């Protein structure tokens, strides 16, 4: 207000030069001119400080999709089975992922397509559903979209749009938010506490993926 005060005074009162009253609009920068045009009883009641207060900046990142590839490009970086699930919205067979019964205390799980971090290892729990389960992802990492039938909520990697699985809420699980992110393990990679990627073992069961 110390900077704009003089301009506001000119905008509302006008300038007197050589006995002539001139419009403040010609003498003030656009920001002050805009404020002058919007002057009203409301402005008078709130005061300049309320109008000139800077807009708060959200602490939540916008997380726009940052990785975009054509279908053919995705086919070159993903295996056939990964492509079926991550880009084709398929579902791997229950119990087929080694991550299903893996519960590391530290580290993180990321998207197999773009590498974006998705879940803390500490958010993983045993849901008994046959797929890796987490109760929450990193802030802004997971996008939720209702299925067309409105019965389930799909979860996507917010960086590349890859299909991960579905989220179910209010099932009575004893975790901080009572939610279950049911994730296809084939969509995930795991990094240990030092950030080193841990290679997956050969799959030993489940019969691969089936399109749902």
């Amino acid at each position: 207000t110390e900077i704009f005060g003089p301009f506001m005074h000119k905008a509302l009162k006008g300038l007197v030069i050589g006995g002539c009253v001139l419009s403040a609009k010609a003498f003030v920068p656009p920001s002050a001119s805009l404020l002058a045009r919007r002057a009203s009883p409301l402005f008078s009641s709130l005061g300049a400080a309320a109008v000139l207060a800077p807009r708060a900046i959200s602490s939540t990142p916008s997380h726009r999709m940052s990785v975009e590839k054509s279908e053919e490009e995705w086919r070159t970086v993903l295996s056939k089975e990964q492509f079926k699930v991550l880009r084709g919205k398929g579902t791997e067979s229950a119990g087929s992922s080694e991550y299903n019964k893996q519960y590391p205390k530290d580290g993180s799980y990321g998207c197999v397509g773009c590498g974006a971090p998705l879940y803390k290892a500490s958010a993983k729990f045993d849901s008994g559903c046959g797929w890796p389960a987490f109760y929450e992802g990193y802030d802004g990492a997971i996008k939720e979209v209702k299925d067309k039938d409105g019965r389930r909520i799909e979860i996507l990697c917010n960086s590349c749009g890859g299909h991960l699985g579905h989220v179910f809420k209010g099932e009575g699980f004893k975790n901080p938010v009572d939610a279950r992110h049911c994730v296809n393990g084939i969509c995930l990679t795991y990094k240990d506490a030092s950030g080193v990627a841990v290679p997956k073992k050969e799959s030993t069961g489940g019969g691969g993926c089936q399109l749902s």
Side-chain angles (χ1 to χ4, degrees):
T1 56
E2 293 180 0
I3 296 175
F4 288 102
F7 292 120
M8 287 302 303
H9 179 73
K10 294 175 184 179
L12 297 175
K13 300 299 184 180
L15 293 175
V16 180
I17 300 179
C20 298
V21 178
L22 302 179
S23 170
K25 185 175 180 181
F27 293 91
V28 295
S31 57
S33 177
L34 177 61
L35 290 170
R37 291 198 303 271
R38 292 181 177 178
S40 66
L42 177 61
F43 170 81
S44 299
S45 63
L46 294 176
V51 177
L52 294 174
R55 181 181 296 178
I57 299 175
S58 173
S59 59
T60 304
S62 59
H63 289 284
R64 293 173 298 184
M65 197 162 70
S66 57
V67 179
E68 297 185 49
K69 298 179 186 292
S70 67
E71 180 175 316
E72 289 307 311
E73 288 175 322
W74 280 118
R75 288 184 184 277
T76 64
V77 298
L78 299 173
S79 70
K80 182 179 179 180
E81 297 302 310
Q82 288 171 339
F83 184 87
K84 282 183 180 180
V85 179
L86 199 70
R87 309 311 305 181
K89 300 184 185 296
T91 303
E92 68 185 6
S93 298
S96 63
S97 174
E98 68 177 88
Y99 292 156
N100 181 38
K101 294 297 183 180
Q102 181 190 68
Y103 305 103
K105 295 181 179 179
D106 301 302
S108 64
Y109 291 85
C111 175
V112 74
C114 66
L118 299 174
Y119 299 98
K120 291 181 180 179
S122 57
K124 195 172 187 298
F125 70 102
D126 184 4
S127 69
C129 68
W131 289 271
F134 305 83
Y135 60 80
E136 66 180 358
Y138 285 109
D139 288 344
I142 309 297
K143 181 178 181 179
E144 298 184 5
V145 180
K146 280 189 177 181
D147 279 350
K148 292 181 180 180
D149 60 11
R151 298 175 61 186
R152 297 188 301 175
I153 300 176
E154 181 187 10
I155 48 177
L156 308 169
C157 169
N158 212 8
S159 292
C160 70
H163 171 78
L164 302 174
H166 291 83
V167 60
F168 303 90
K169 302 176 182 180
E171 295 180 314
F173 284 105
K174 295 181 179 180
N175 60 55
V177 294
D178 190 12
R180 171 174 62 97
H181 288 230
C182 185
V183 184
N184 290 284
I186 199 169
C187 300
L188 301 173
T189 59
Y190 171 68
K191 290 184 179 181
D192 62 22
S194 60
V196 176
V198 179
K200 287 184 177 180
K201 299 176 183 178
E202 292 292 329
S203 178
T204 57
C209 303
Q210 55 186 17
L211 290 178
S212 58

